[in-house]
Amino acid sequence: MGQARRLPDWAAYFRHELTERPWQEVLAGWWPRLLPGIVAGSTHGVIRVGHAVRALRGTACAPARQTLDELAHGLAFWAARYRELAGVVAPEGTLTPQQALPAVTRLKEQNGFIAHRLDRLERSSGWTASLRALKPAASAEEVPARLESLVDSAAKAYLRLGHGSPVLLVHAATAPNAVRHVLPVLPTEQWLPSLTAAWAAVVAVIATYAPARPAPCAEIVRRYPELTREDALQRAAEHGDEHVLKFADTAVESYDCTGDPELLAATLHVGELIDRP
């Protein structure tokens, strides 16, 4: 794992595995192996797997070959770009996601590629402290609700933080959302480690790309008129950038759960910060 040049080999391997065994079995076998490398390819591995699993879960009949191929490519990308985060510890604090996100310690030197930033992050004193600050789930049964809260908080945080790195900070919301959508097909013993990994991915993105000075959220929200969820999705589709689309999908889903209009405002904000393709 972690050798990008082996991507074609990994894709061939996973296509074969998904032909020989049920996709749920393949996923459950590889998920715990890949999970420590959740930041692989700036979290695009887990995100791609999450989208494929959503499509597969929505199919009542036998899965289409094309959808299985997408899962194979998602797993292959994750394996080929695997990059384990050192020093990851489980949450053991008292903060909610909404409280813990602003408290994440930022890197003083936010420059270079993500690999260089992650190297510095793992050596920083604030890394494990930020990971520990989140209140843990007391049991596996609490994990879905905790993940939902984490996704909601990360999507709203984009209003304050997105200007720091408009594209990379999208993943603070879309990566844990991918984990949330995979969770129902995983064995419950994998749920708590999945929450730990999702939180580690969020902290890593925030610490390495979020600005030291957040933008005034209320002022940003006032710039956007009231809109419906359908308007938000339509504008994202018209924009066309893949990160705008992924973020809108995540934020609107959070809006459906919370009814918080700031989440819809965030879908317009990301479209302003990221250039159209």
Side-chain angles (χ1 to χ4, degrees), residues 23-32 185-187 190:
W23 66 267
Q24 299 94 331
E25 184 180 320
V26 175
L27 181 67
W30 274 94
W31 184 263
V185 300
L186 297 175
Q190 295 182 14

Side-chain angles (χ1 to χ4, degrees), residues 191-208:
W191 287 14
L192 284 167
S194 295
L195 176 61
T196 296
W199 173 235
V202 174
V203 172
V205 172
I206 296 294
T208 54

Side-chain angles (χ1 to χ4, degrees), residues 183-262:
L183 206 67
V185 300
L186 297 175
T188 53
E189 60 266 24
Q190 295 182 14
W191 287 14
L192 284 167
S194 295
L195 176 61
T196 296
W199 173 235
V202 174
V203 172
V205 172
I206 296 294
T208 54
Y209 285 96
R213 292 186 179 182
C217 181
E219 290 183 18
I220 294 173
V221 171
R222 280 196 294 268
R223 296 208 302 261
Y224 304 110
E226 292 185 9
L227 71 161
T228 66
R229 67 184 302 282
E230 289 74 20
D231 292 333
L233 292 172
Q234 179 62 32
R235 295 196 188 190
E238 291 170 353
H239 187 287
D241 178 82
E242 63 185 43
H243 289 92
V244 172
L245 288 165
K246 287 187 295 185
F247 183 85
D249 171 63
T250 295
V252 168
E253 190 173 13
S254 289
Y255 170 79
D256 289 341
C257 295
T258 65
D260 189 338
E262 289 188 5

Side-chain angles (χ1 to χ4, degrees), residues 35-49:
L35 200 57
I38 194 170
V39 295
S42 304
T43 73
H44 282 106
V46 68
I47 291 169
R48 191 166 180 179
V49 167

Side-chain angles (χ1 to χ4, degrees), residues 67-127:
T67 312
L68 288 174
D69 279 349
E70 177 56 23
L71 177 58
H73 281 283
L75 291 167
F77 181 85
W78 195 348
R81 299 296 299 275
Y82 183 89
R83 201 281 189 194
E84 194 164 327
L85 285 167
V88 172
V89 294
E92 56 181 42
T94 60
L95 302 182
T96 65
Q98 190 171 5
Q99 296 167 332
L101 282 171
V104 169
T105 303
R106 315 293 203 264
L107 275 184
K108 292 181 179 179
E109 296 180 53
Q110 289 189 348
N111 53 56
F113 295 116
I114 188 169
H116 304 141
R117 297 178 188 225
L118 292 175
D119 287 341
R120 291 196 294 271
L121 177 64
E122 292 166 326
R123 297 192 299 267
S124 69
S125 58
W127 168 229

